[in-house]
Amino acid sequence: MSDLPLDQVRTLLAVVDEQSFDRAAAVLHVTPSAVSQRVKALEQRLGRVLILRTKPVRLTDSGQVVVRFARQLTRLEEDTRAELGLVGVVGPLTLPIAVNADSLATWFLPALAAVPGVSFDLRSDDQDHTATLLREGLVMAAVTSAPHPVQGCTSTRLGLMRYRAMASPAFVARWLADRPLASALAEAPAVLFDRKDDLQDRFLRTLTRRSLPLGARHYVPSSQSFADAVTAGLGWGMVPELQTRGSSLVDLAPDRPADVPLYWQQWKLDSPALAALAEAVAAAAATALRK
């Protein structure tokens, strides 16, 4: 790809990061027409569509390949400037990272604080889906539950994120008292993070060895608000053990925790900033997560 015009490649990356041609134009200090022309010229040069003009824009498979190249190119350029002492010319280094919401709310942020001089562009998703952002070239590293490395990446085990089935004392008294736990939970209201969250369903399957439909479902797409919703008695839910310490919540099945293995995946790129972040993430995980 060395013969690709770099201004066109960087323009495509800006469109993806800003999620629109207009916002990319503002960042690049050019007109939206110029952005469109550059992307179209790049597509014509490669003979394939790279981006779907939807709202927000979406990359094609070919576009993902070019964006990964563009992001790696940008990372190498920024690292070179840093080694030459030219960071102030273009501002701080930026690392786009995907992390699951529960890690972000509990143990992950101290790792970022341990890497000074770097700006972080964090994207949050379910741990089962953060690897997709890595595969699409939208981020350079991710905390994910996927053990097998995305193409062009390395994968390092971080530890186990433990979840426990929790509910408020009032909720237990109303819905679960004097009833078999499995059938009572299947009928009681449950709190879920979003429609990708299947931890509650998986927990029920461990109790019954079969699938049971949950009762009413409340979707609360914020890690702290999820725990708050369970505490308020809105429903029962699988709460990270790190968020249950010192709370008034009742552990519904102390002998049946749910452990989710987490991995750190990052591009195979010789980047001091990325290496420093990986080391800091591993150290923070070693302190917070179970082995």
Side-chain angles (χ1 to χ4, degrees):
M1 291 192 185
S2 59
D3 62 339
L4 291 182
L6 296 185
D7 62 329
Q8 296 176 6
V9 171
R10 291 192 179 100
T11 298
L12 176 66
L13 180 59
V15 172
V16 171
D17 284 345
E18 299 301 324
Q19 288 292 285
S20 84
F21 282 74
D22 289 343
R23 288 197 295 271
V27 168
L28 296 172
H29 305 293
V30 298
T31 65
S33 176
V35 170
S36 181
Q37 289 172 12
R38 289 180 188 177
V39 173
K40 185 175 181 180
L42 184 59
E43 290 177 324
Q44 290 174 341
R45 188 181 189 93
L46 294 172
R48 59 194 69 192
V49 175
L50 301 176
I51 196 166
L52 302 178
R53 276 70 168 172
T54 55
K55 292 186 178 181
V57 297
R58 290 189 297 117
L59 286 169
T60 64
D61 290 345
S62 296
Q64 292 174 17
V65 174
V66 178
V67 164
R68 284 198 297 270
F69 166 74
R71 207 173 292 284
Q72 291 172 358
L73 181 68
T74 300
R75 171 80 277 123
L76 290 172
E77 181 181 40
E78 290 181 344
D79 285 341
T80 300
R81 287 181 175 273
E83 291 184 30
L84 293 173
L86 300 175
V87 176
V89 176
V90 293
L93 307 178
T94 300
L95 291 178
I97 308 296
V99 57
N100 60 308
D102 291 335
S103 291
L104 187 59
T106 52
W107 65 270
F108 189 75
L109 288 178
L112 304 188
V115 187
V118 177
S119 293
F120 298 100
D121 181 1
L122 298 182
R123 307 200 181 198
S124 181
D125 204 339
D126 183 87
Q127 62 265 9
D128 294 335
H129 298 271
T130 48
T132 300
L133 300 176
L134 191 63
R135 187 176 299 108
E136 293 175 350
L138 299 178
V139 298
M140 299 182 65
V143 176
T144 175
S145 61
H148 302 296
V150 171
Q151 184 177 6
C153 297
T154 60
S155 180
T156 303
R157 188 178 187 276
L158 294 174
L160 298 173
M161 188 87 169
R162 174 159 289 184
Y163 292 81
R164 294 190 176 276
M166 307 296 287
S168 70
F171 185 90
V172 172
R174 178 180 178 184
W175 291 95
L176 309 180
D178 303 321
R179 296 186 60 192
L181 183 62
S183 58
L185 284 184
E187 297 173 5
V191 180
L192 285 76
F193 185 82
D194 58 20
R195 284 165 177 78
K196 300 175 185 176
D197 179 11
D198 66 347
L199 277 177
Q200 285 68 215
D201 298 87
R202 283 155 54 185
F203 175 75
L204 273 183
R205 287 196 295 270
T206 68
L207 294 181
T208 65
R209 303 299 178 185
R210 60 191 178 92
S211 296
L212 287 175
L214 291 175
R217 297 178 179 230
H218 305 290
Y219 297 99
V220 185
S222 160
S223 186
Q224 185 57 55
S225 295
F226 180 101
D228 291 342
V230 174
T231 301
L234 198 61
W236 71 275
M238 302 301 293
V239 180
E241 185 178 59
L242 293 170
Q243 290 181 306
T244 65
R245 295 167 184 170
S247 75
S248 61
L249 294 174
V250 178
D251 191 340
L252 304 179
D255 60 336
R256 290 181 178 271
D259 289 334
V260 176
L262 295 179
Y263 299 84
W264 175 253
Q265 291 204 30
Q266 69 177 56
W267 287 355
K268 295 177 182 176
L269 192 64
D270 186 14
S271 167
L274 195 55
L277 177 60
E279 183 177 348
V281 168
T287 300
L289 301 181
R290 290 180 173 264
K291 304 301 183 184

